[in-house]
Amino acid sequence: MIRSVVRGVGTALPRRVMKNADFEGVVETSDEWIVQRTGIRERHIASDDETTASLGEAAARAALANAGMDVAEIDLIVLATSTPNNTFPATAVEIQNRLGMTHGFAFDLQAVCSGFVYAITTADLYIRGGLAKRALVIGSETFSRILDWTDRTTCVLFGDGAGAVILEAQTGEGTTADRGILATSLRSDGSHKEKLYVDGGPSTTGTVGHLRMEGREVFKHAVSMITDVVEDALRIGGISAGQLDWFVPHQANKRIIDASARKLGIDPAKVVVTVDRHGNTSAASVPLALAEAVGDGRIKAGDMVLLEAMGGGFTWGAVLLRW
Ligand code: ACO
């Protein structure tokens, strides 16, 4: 059977780093409050010349270099983002153009913080369905552009960045010993819209809008939703949480990450954490964390890896793969 195997990873972060102390004077907050409630110490914030397309392009180029591949070998680009350069065309097509690629096809996918998990699941289906051989799956965001910088309950939580992976069709045996994506589980429930949304859009206000979040309400649902999809992916994959080598969660809040790992019985030493340096980069958070753990040698060929995310919608999902 065909499996979607990860061939390369890449990242891009804006030049400017904003530390918690830099918020003092912007809103009424403190480094101590932010660290204690979220685990965030700093985040990268895009300058005017840095966009979702430019960061996505840089992450894609880094992933191509990491895989030792040329863009001519890619036939699909799926970009997960909620902060596109324009309402249309899709920013994925802009990235395709920036990469000098005029063959194949590219599209955006929007599932907020779960975007990368949705995008990698989608690319896997295109590959296993025979419509693509090699896919660039990118998560790229510039959430700083949709933040209300007077609202201390949200503006301290988010950052900008991009991460990318290259998936390639390879033949597997159909067992858990195969490399590549082994199981996925996606969920959504629109009844939670008001807890996390952007208060503008092309069809309603005609504006871009600002992010609004009832953080406490999101927190209340996060751990149970995350553990449900993770357990579902593990059940489909036929492995136990104890057999995981690495857990790469969405990086929204260290307390949510710790509580989810605890509930799932995952050893904290196997949890990849970047939220302290990136904040919540929405669809970019999982590939940024993944690429860091690959880059520093923690994730190695053959390792069993579990990705998960939960975000606006609500949307949530998990992906089990062997590296
Ligand atoms: N600095 C100082 N005080 C603050 C700040 C701040 N930046 N923000 C809020 N406070 C205050 C509040 O006003 C409140 O004060 P009060 O008690 O006088 O009313 C107090 O701190 C406690 O506020 P809570 O909201 O109860 O704090 P909590 O411990 O829940 O932490 C947080 C807030 C960090 C937002 C947390 O709820 C959280 O992480 N929620 C989940 C967010 C998330 O996971 N999102 C994922 C998806 S994101 C996406 O899809 C785009």
Side-chain angles (χ1 to χ4, degrees):
M1 71 181 288
I2 296 173
R3 295 285 196 193
S4 305
V5 176
V6 179
R7 284 284 313 273
V9 294
T11 63
L13 287 160
R15 294 181 297 275
R16 181 178 162 221
V17 174
M18 188 169 181
K19 295 187 178 298
N20 289 348
D22 298 331
F23 281 96
E24 293 167 15
V26 178
V27 287
E28 205 184 319
T29 190
S30 64
D31 176 52
E32 191 194 356
W33 189 95
I34 301 170
V35 172
Q36 198 182 68
R37 300 289 177 130
T38 72
I40 300 167
R41 293 184 183 276
E42 59 186 42
R43 73 289 288 141
H44 291 252
I45 300 291
S47 302
D48 290 348
D49 63 332
E50 294 170 314
T51 65
T52 294
S54 75
L55 293 168
E57 177 200 356
R61 287 190 186 280
L64 285 166
N66 180 245
M69 268 184 205
D70 189 83
V71 72
E73 298 173 74
I74 301 294
D75 41 25
L76 166 65
I77 300 175
V78 186
L79 170 69
T81 190
S82 302
T83 47
N85 273 36
N86 296 86
T87 302
F88 79 78
T91 303
V93 179
E94 187 168 340
I95 292 173
Q96 179 190 24
N97 182 49
R98 283 166 171 263
L99 293 172
M101 181 177 158
T102 50
H103 63 279
F105 61 112
F107 59 90
D108 287 1
L109 185 154
Q110 208 263 61
V112 202
C113 295
S114 311
F116 186 78
V117 165
Y118 269 63
I120 203 167
T121 299
T122 303
D124 175 45
L125 289 171
Y126 276 91
I127 286 173
R128 287 194 289 122
L131 278 94
K133 283 212 158 46
R134 290 183 199 88
L136 249 174
V137 185
I138 308 167
S140 184
E141 303 275 21
T142 44
F143 260 50
S144 62
R145 306 255 157 80
I146 56 165
L147 295 175
D148 174 352
W149 287 91
T150 65
D151 175 12
R152 69 174 182 174
T153 70
T154 53
C155 74
V156 302
L157 304 175
F158 295 90
D160 302 330
V165 305
I166 294 171
L167 293 180
E168 180 179 71
Q170 291 186 8
T171 306
E173 299 298 319
T175 70
T176 52
D178 288 349
R179 290 186 69 194
I181 295 176
L182 302 174
T184 61
S185 178
L186 300 183
R187 291 292 315 280
S188 65
D189 179 354
S191 67
H192 298 284
K193 177 183 174 183
E194 301 304 318
K195 299 181 184 89
L196 177 52
Y197 69 104
V198 169
D199 62 5
S203 188
T204 49
T205 58
T207 62
V208 172
H210 290 115
L211 181 147
R212 304 292 171 205
M213 179 166 75
E214 294 171 34
R216 212 176 303 187
E217 286 300 311
V218 179
F219 203 127
K220 257 192 341 213
H221 291 85
V223 177
S224 61
M225 287 179 162
I226 288 164
T227 50
D228 277 358
V229 280
V230 168
E231 281 167 354
D232 198 40
L234 291 172
R235 184 186 55 74
I236 296 166
I239 73 148
S240 68
Q243 291 172 276
L244 290 174
D245 294 298
W246 296 105
F247 181 53
V248 186
H250 173 46
Q251 309 284 320
N253 185 315
K254 182 69 163 56
R255 285 154 62 208
I256 295 175
I257 294 172
D258 291 346
S260 306
R262 201 162 41 240
K263 195 168 167 198
L264 289 160
I266 297 172
D267 177 353
K270 296 179 173 179
V271 182
V272 179
V273 178
T274 53
V275 69
D276 51 329
R277 285 156 294 126
H278 297 165
N280 181 349
T281 56
S282 191
S285 101
V286 169
L288 276 167
L290 192 58
E292 180 170 292
V294 173
D296 64 21
R298 274 178 288 173
I299 297 181
K300 293 180 289 299
D303 282 355
M304 194 67 94
V305 181
L306 198 291
L307 319 176
E308 62 81 354
M310 181 266 179
F314 290 153
T315 55
W316 63 109
V319 174
L320 177 70
L321 70 158
R322 190 181 285 286
W323 204 257

